[in-house]
Amino acid sequence: MAMTNAFDASRATLTPKEKALVERRDRLLGPAYRLFYEQPVHMVRGEGVWLYDADGQAYLDCYNNVPSVGHCHPQVVEALRQQAGILNTHTRYIHEIVLDYAEQLLSTFPEELGHVMFTCTGSEANDLAYRIAKYQTGGTGFIVTDLAYHGGTDVIAALSPSLGIHVDLGENVRTIPAPDGYRGDPEVGKAFVANVRVAIADMQRHGIKPAALLIDSVFSSDGVFSDHAGFLREAAEVIREAGGLYIADEVQSGFGRTGEHWWGFQRHSVIPDMVTIGKGMGGGHPIAGLVVRPELMTELGKSRYFNTFGGNPVSCAVGKAVLDVIENESLIENVKQVGAYLKAGLHKLAKHHNVIGDVRGTGFFIGVELVKDHSSLEPATEEANRVVNGLRQKHVLISSAGPHANILKIRPPLTFTQQDADLFLQTLDEVLASL
């Protein structure tokens, strides 16, 4: 599968300066890197929910979930500056801030999840969870969804079907459909659990012992599916009955983004065996981690774990500042209130624009599926591309998702306000009207 919302130089009209920058980028970084939008954006500054290009033009950011508490939040920047001016080193020395942060972070999880191990990226966190699952279960089989993305390491890329046909899936990997109640079975819970059972049975038939079910709690790359809360609980029971573990990938759905809890899995009244976290964890700074049940650390604990930069004092100071901002500014409540307002506004737009087939999601993680026809549900892929790029031309940033790239993916910073939502809805209405 080709990357959604990808820049294509052969179709773009670039200024001489833009053309020179794109050519320089390709020459220095190589062909594997990708740009967004038909006309790429040259960003030089960020503040709150706004990004600014080289000409000073402001763009409303409705897409970037990494700067979770807004671009360059002063409290986060100051925490980084202060600690960077005092000490930064690895975790093989005692340091209070690493422990203070670990305690505060673990307090947001169910008490059964009592250990945290720090990494730099979500890919590393998922790689570590992969190792622990194999050590603890003695199995090698992993189940993921059809278009999942879990990271870029060699092992985890093999568990990330969304990377496309040029990245082979692991021989012990089985894929299952995402819980799509719009195009698939409306009984998403029953269908999802049934598919987990089929995957387990296929593994066992081929002599593969299940190790884990690895699930992004909002199924972001698959097309954003978080409705009908509760169905992940039975899926977790099924994989455990087969001797495997349930790993919740909260790299995208965590830190209050769903607007109801700190973590997406909490919507399903289930406690995972391991939880991987990252992206918004540092508000733009590279920090990630794995939260795990202590009893699962027996085998890995026989060896040693070390990550040069994972859990360093500067990263932990930044991570702690992000938690403080989320708590002190009541951002989870903001996500709940403004997210509901935004979703209601999208449902209103759907009544006036027939191209909108479905509006789904929760909090600040929303998918809007575009279709050519409400009966056939034929994907409106080209229309979605025009909407994404039309919004970009009007200085509003989103992207797309799903197997047909026809689902608008909306996930603004947690500081997004009702006024910001009104601007987004008004601009989207104008772009849809122009189709």
Side-chain angles (χ1 to χ4, degrees), residues 70-237:
H71 293 276
C72 302
H73 192 289
Q75 188 172 333
V76 176
V77 173
E78 179 59 18
L80 187 152
R81 186 198 66 79
Q82 280 193 8
Q83 187 58 47
I86 299 171
L87 173 71
N88 199 31
T89 185
H90 50 71
T91 53
R92 290 191 285 199
Y93 304 125
I94 297 173
H95 199 287
E96 289 88 350
I97 197 164
V98 179
L99 305 179
D100 291 344
Y101 177 50
E103 283 180 341
Q104 187 175 355
L105 180 64
L106 288 172
S107 72
T108 68
F109 285 90
E111 62 181 9
E112 290 87 346
L113 295 160
H115 282 338
V116 58
M117 304 175 73
F118 293 114
T119 65
C120 300
T121 67
S123 297
E124 286 181 314
N126 278 319
D127 196 275
L128 185 56
Y130 176 94
R131 287 175 58 194
I132 293 173
K134 290 206 306 177
Y135 290 163
Q136 197 66 26
T137 66
T140 59
F142 285 78
I143 303 171
V144 298
T145 51
D146 284 339
L147 208 62
Y149 175 75
H150 294 293
T153 68
D154 184 53
V155 165
I156 301 303
L159 275 68
S160 299
S162 67
L163 290 175
I165 60 173
H166 299 292
V167 179
D168 294 335
L169 289 181
E171 293 181 359
N172 291 355
V173 177
R174 297 294 183 271
T175 63
I176 59 175
D180 186 347
Y182 180 59
R183 292 178 173 276
D185 191 331
E187 295 285 338
V188 293
K190 292 181 180 179
F192 190 76
V193 171
N195 286 323
V196 172
R197 292 186 187 277
V198 168
I200 291 171
D202 187 67
M203 284 181 183
Q204 294 170 335
R205 187 165 57 250
H206 288 85
I208 300 170
K209 184 178 180 180
L213 171 69
L214 174 58
I215 295 296
D216 163 11
S217 299
V218 292
F219 303 88
S220 172
S221 296
D222 289 283
V224 187
F225 301 104
S226 59
D227 296 328
H228 305 288
F231 67 84
L232 283 180
R233 183 175 63 252
E234 187 175 353
E237 294 171 357

Side-chain angles (χ1 to χ4, degrees), residues 247-369:
I247 306 170
D249 185 335
E250 294 281 336
V251 172
Q252 298 209 59
S253 57
F255 293 95
R257 181 153 292 277
T258 62
E260 297 171 332
H261 309 280
W262 275 97
W263 310 104
F265 67 80
Q266 291 175 300
R267 302 186 69 245
H268 296 275
S269 301
V270 62
I271 300 175
D273 298 297
M274 291 184 276
V275 182
T276 55
I277 52 180
K279 286 195 186 297
M281 188 172 179
H285 183 81
I287 178 174
L290 173 68
V291 179
V292 58
R293 293 176 183 261
E295 61 268 26
L296 297 181
M297 293 298 295
T298 306
E299 294 303 316
L300 185 68
K302 293 176 181 178
S303 60
R304 61 188 174 90
Y305 169 73
F306 176 63
N307 186 311
T308 302
F309 296 107
N312 70 77
V314 170
S315 293
C316 288
V318 169
K320 190 176 187 309
V322 169
L323 292 183
D324 290 340
V325 171
I326 293 173
E327 292 174 343
N328 296 339
E329 298 186 12
S330 302
L331 291 186
I332 296 179
E333 181 63 23
N334 180 69
V335 173
K336 180 180 179 180
Q337 298 294 332
V338 180
Y341 179 84
L342 176 60
K343 192 174 179 182
L346 290 166
H347 277 295
K348 290 179 182 178
L349 290 183
K351 295 178 181 179
H352 301 288
H353 300 286
N354 202 49
V355 72
I356 296 179
D358 191 33
V359 176
R360 54 182 178 259
T362 184
F364 282 170
F365 217 127
I366 298 176
V368 179
E369 182 153 359

